[in-house]
């Protein structure tokens, strides 16, 4: 586990935490960081599937819920999970930018 990444509790993955500008790292350090990011990035689709399963369960509960306050809470929880999924997809796609910078 590298010091270049920190665990994000909300997203459930480690995210890059670079202490200096990308160009200040040696090519070897950049390669190590990118390799570690690729490993983390590869786990993002599985994390998204987990969250989608949670959303599906909450939607099932919502369909059976008669209490308005509980329905509102379930809707809030679904929206929060959807927001996490959106952010994970952003991080997943970010790899193209990092890779392009390394190979320039």
């Amino acid at each position: 586990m590298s010091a270049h990444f920190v665990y994000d509790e909300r997203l459930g993955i480690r995210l890059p935490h670079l202490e200096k500008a990308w160009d200040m790292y040696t090519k070897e350090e950049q390669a190590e960081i990118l390799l570690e990011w690729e490993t983390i990035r590869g786990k993002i689709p599985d994390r998204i599937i987990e969250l989608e399963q949670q959303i599906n369960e909450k939607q099932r509960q919502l369909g059976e819920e008669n209490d308005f306050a509980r329905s509102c809470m379930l809707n809030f929880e679904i929206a929060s999970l959807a927001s996490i999924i959106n952010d994970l997809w952003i991080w997943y796609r970010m790899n193209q930018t990092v890779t392009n910078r390394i190979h320039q």
Side-chain angles (χ1 to χ4, degrees), residues 3 9 11 13 22 28 36 43 46-47 51 63 66 76-77 80 95 102 104:
E9 190 72 34
L11 299 181
I13 62 169
W22 183 250
E28 293 79 20
E36 187 166 356
K43 297 175 184 176
D46 292 335
R47 177 73 177 128
L51 296 169
N66 293 322
F76 174 79
E77 291 171 1
S80 295
N95 179 64
I102 285 179
Q104 288 180 346

Side-chain angles (χ1 to χ4, degrees), residues 1 14 27 39 55 57 60 65 72 76-77 94:
M1 190 175 292
R14 291 182 302 130
K27 293 293 180 191
T39 301
I55 286 173
E57 175 57 24
R60 185 197 64 71
E65 188 59 59
C72 290
F76 174 79
E77 291 171 1
M94 186 175 289

Side-chain angles (χ1 to χ4, degrees), residues 50-65:
E50 291 172 14
L51 296 169
E52 287 173 340
Q53 290 171 344
Q54 291 177 34
I55 286 173
N56 290 339
E57 175 57 24
K58 291 184 183 301
Q59 286 175 328
R60 185 197 64 71
Q61 292 173 15
L62 185 59
E64 299 172 0
E65 188 59 59

Side-chain angles (χ1 to χ4, degrees), residues 1-59:
M1 190 175 292
S2 164
H4 300 294
F5 295 85
V6 294
Y7 185 76
D8 185 283
E9 190 72 34
R10 179 178 168 267
L11 299 181
I13 62 169
R14 291 182 302 130
L15 296 176
H17 181 73
L18 303 180
E19 304 258 334
K20 54 189 175 182
W22 183 250
D23 295 335
M24 299 300 292
Y25 291 97
T26 66
K27 293 293 180 191
E28 293 79 20
E29 289 172 317
Q30 289 178 358
E32 288 174 14
I33 293 167
L34 184 60
L35 179 61
E36 187 166 356
W37 174 243
E38 279 299 311
T39 301
I40 295 166
R41 183 179 172 267
K43 297 175 184 176
I44 290 175
D46 292 335
R47 177 73 177 128
I48 289 170
I49 290 170
E50 291 172 14
L51 296 169
E52 287 173 340
Q53 290 171 344
Q54 291 177 34
I55 286 173
N56 290 339
E57 175 57 24
K58 291 184 183 301
Q59 286 175 328

